[in-house]
Amino acid sequence: MPSENTPLAELPPIPAKRYFTIGEVSDLCLVKPHVLRYWEQEFGQLRPVKRRGNRRYYQHHEVLLVRRIRELLYGEGFTIIGARGRLDEEANGAQPLTRRRGSAAASSAAATAATSAAAAQTRADAEELRSELLAIADLLDPN
């Protein structure tokens, strides 16, 4: 049996069926069942259906997600937190941040600028909402 270090391209093909047991997913993704159960706790996107006696049934998209998590952790060397962040970025359609040596300060400055811009927009939205609420209050209480 291939090990967990097997590249993603060498994993067995996923059969065309609706549900997979934890044992099947373990074989398809070359990850032990206890690791899959741990990943369910760490990655909110991974939520297999539980039926009869708490048995887990994974759908096709969850098998693909397990393979992606495996690739991030074992192939690309991400930590659990880093892999979770990368999956969130991918789910939101954001471009993943790539860092080169010596550009940590530039990345930090860009993140600070983005945070400042978001905070300014939030303040502007709050002020606009406040103005609208005051106008409504004036309409309701003409005194």
Side-chain angles (χ1 to χ4, degrees), residues 25-98:
V25 176
S26 175
D27 292 340
L28 290 170
C29 300
L30 305 177
V31 177
K32 297 193 186 266
H34 72 271
V35 174
L36 291 171
R37 288 189 292 273
Y38 174 69
W39 286 355
E40 288 173 25
Q41 296 172 4
E42 295 297 323
F43 297 93
Q45 306 96 320
L46 188 57
R47 294 194 185 276
V49 176
K50 290 187 181 177
R51 294 194 183 145
R52 296 180 256 132
N54 235 8
R55 286 182 49 107
R56 291 166 167 80
Y57 291 95
Y58 294 82
Q59 295 182 42
H60 188 269
H61 68 91
E62 291 167 325
V63 176
L64 294 174
L65 178 59
V66 168
R67 286 184 170 194
R68 180 64 181 136
I69 292 169
R70 180 186 181 277
E71 177 64 23
L72 289 171
L73 296 175
Y74 300 153
E76 297 182 28
F78 278 80
T79 62
I80 294 282
I81 294 170
R84 191 182 309 135
R86 176 59 63 93
L87 289 173
D88 288 343
E89 288 175 357
E90 291 172 1
N92 294 330
Q95 292 294 324
L97 294 175
T98 55

Side-chain angles (χ1 to χ4, degrees), residues 77-132:
F78 278 80
T79 62
I80 294 282
I81 294 170
R84 191 182 309 135
R86 176 59 63 93
L87 289 173
D88 288 343
E89 288 175 357
E90 291 172 1
N92 294 330
Q95 292 294 324
L97 294 175
T98 55
R99 290 191 177 160
R100 297 185 186 135
R101 288 180 206 203
S103 68
S107 294
S108 178
T112 302
T115 302
S116 296
Q121 182 62 43
T122 301
R123 281 191 295 275
D125 290 345
E127 187 57 38
E128 181 181 345
L129 181 61
R130 182 178 180 277
S131 298
E132 289 176 12

